[in-house]
Amino acid sequence: MTTELILGIDIGGTKTAAALVTAEGAVIARVESPTPAREGGARILENAVTLGRSLCALLAGGDANPADEASFAVVGVGVGSAGVIEPRTGRVISATAHLSDWVGTEIGHDLADAFRLPVSVCNDVHAHAVGEASVGAGRGHDTVLVAAVGTGIGGAVVINGQPEFGTHGIAGHLGHLPIAEAEGLLCPCGKFGHVEAISSGTALHQLYLRNGGDPAVLDTRGVVARADVDRVAHASVVTSARAFGRTLGGVINMVDPGVVILAGGMINAGALWWDSMDAGVRENVMPILNDVDIVRAELGDDAALIGAALRAFDIQGAQQ
Ligand SMILES: [Zn+2]
């Protein structure tokens, strides 16, 4: 019996990972390498192709599953990539300056050429959300809201396994909602007053310094670690997390999710962050939605790979 697999690829700002993924979302082989972020779009894709080919070669050699004689066939490629992606064509519409010459890269077209397989591409946040919603912390729920709080703030809404893309591929991106605590603060998107400017990891460190915190504290981790003993650190964590929670509460009112999944580095910032976030949610959420569960993401680093692969399976299924 032949088991169909998708080659899942996650192209991030620092590393690129590839895996062979089953229709149930199981990873059967995985490789990764640093993303050549400064070397331009062609090199970034070339690196992804090299990783993918090494996995396909593994399969051809029969090493992927030495335990039995089941055969495998790679039937498509699913990509989750950094940057804003046009999901129908797989073209990069915009990206941070960190990825040189990434805008305009035709990921879908070029990878279809390289692998001679159908390719589907979406943003890594959307891919991550599909993975978590389908086989991670969102299992069993039709409507799932995913929010990631790390160096920036991202998010996605997944309904029946399908991510909402919107017109430009950025739907669900809750980092750029306005919040009173961020008034006057410049957001990385170029506008003022967005929640990312007060609640991202980067913003928490800046808030601490602005509030008169110790300049010797060099990063967000340092702020979080001092929150028990440093009054300014404590207040900064509370303000930042509560602002995020209040924003999230508003989004919950709009989306009415069965579960909310949080990802990103800040979810490991400890009980003070989590409790302040939760208090912010309760301040804003409508009473009928007050029992919504807010849980941690489960799939870790593989969520985007798995989600990109599941989406590729879905699209192929719909086309058959
Ligand atoms: Zn913004």
Side-chain angles (χ1 to χ4, degrees), residues 175-176 187 189 194:
H176 306 288
C187 181
C189 75
H194 294 168

Side-chain angles (χ1 to χ4, degrees), residues 175-177 186-197:
H176 306 288
L177 291 173
L186 179 62
C187 181
C189 75
K191 300 292 183 180
F192 288 87
H194 294 168
V195 66
E196 186 167 305

Side-chain angles (χ1 to χ4, degrees), residues 84-88 93 164-171:
V84 177
I85 310 296
E86 206 294 301
R88 283 157 288 273
I93 298 169
E164 291 297 320
F165 288 118
T167 304
H168 299 91
I170 65 163

Side-chain angles (χ1 to χ4, degrees), residues 75-305:
V75 297
V77 180
V79 183
S81 169
V84 177
I85 310 296
E86 206 294 301
R88 283 157 288 273
T89 60
R91 179 170 188 272
V92 183
I93 298 169
S94 81
T96 64
H98 175 70
L99 288 169
S100 307
D101 192 26
W102 191 227
V103 176
T105 303
E106 301 279 356
I107 303 176
H109 174 272
D110 292 357
L111 291 188
D113 240 23
F115 289 109
R116 300 277 160 208
L117 288 168
V119 177
S120 65
V121 189
C122 68
N123 168 263
D124 52 1
V125 176
H126 285 116
H128 175 278
V130 171
E132 283 292 344
S134 304
V135 297
R139 282 185 312 275
H141 294 280
D142 295 338
T143 302
V144 178
L145 172 62
V146 182
V149 194
T151 50
I153 294 182
V157 177
V158 182
I159 298 176
N160 296 323
Q162 306 294 324
E164 291 297 320
F165 288 118
T167 304
H168 299 91
I170 65 163
H173 201 325
L174 51 81
H176 306 288
L177 291 173
I179 185 84
E181 289 90 329
E183 202 172 308
L185 299 177
L186 179 62
C187 181
C189 75
K191 300 292 183 180
F192 288 87
H194 294 168
V195 66
E196 186 167 305
I198 189 89
S199 299
S200 71
T202 318
L204 170 57
H205 181 234
Q206 289 165 351
L207 176 66
Y208 172 73
L209 296 179
R210 243 185 355 261
N211 286 347
D214 181 352
V217 175
L218 296 178
D219 56 16
T220 312
R221 199 180 291 265
V223 178
V224 168
R226 300 165 64 86
D228 284 344
V229 294
D230 175 337
R231 197 176 46 80
V232 177
H234 189 279
S236 300
V237 170
V238 169
T239 299
S240 176
R242 175 172 165 266
F244 172 67
R246 294 201 315 120
T247 304
L248 191 61
V251 178
I252 291 168
N253 291 340
M254 192 179 79
V255 174
D256 186 10
V259 66
V260 179
I261 303 172
L262 295 192
M266 291 308 294
I267 69 169
N268 299 316
L272 179 64
W273 186 90
W274 197 276
D275 292 347
S276 304
M277 178 278 297
D278 196 63
V281 170
R282 305 306 153 192
E283 270 178 60
N284 260 6
V285 84
M286 292 189 293
I288 195 174
L289 303 175
N290 201 39
D291 62 352
V292 64
D293 281 331
I294 301 176
V295 302
R296 302 166 67 90
E298 288 178 3
L299 299 182
D301 280 354
D302 284 347
L305 278 175

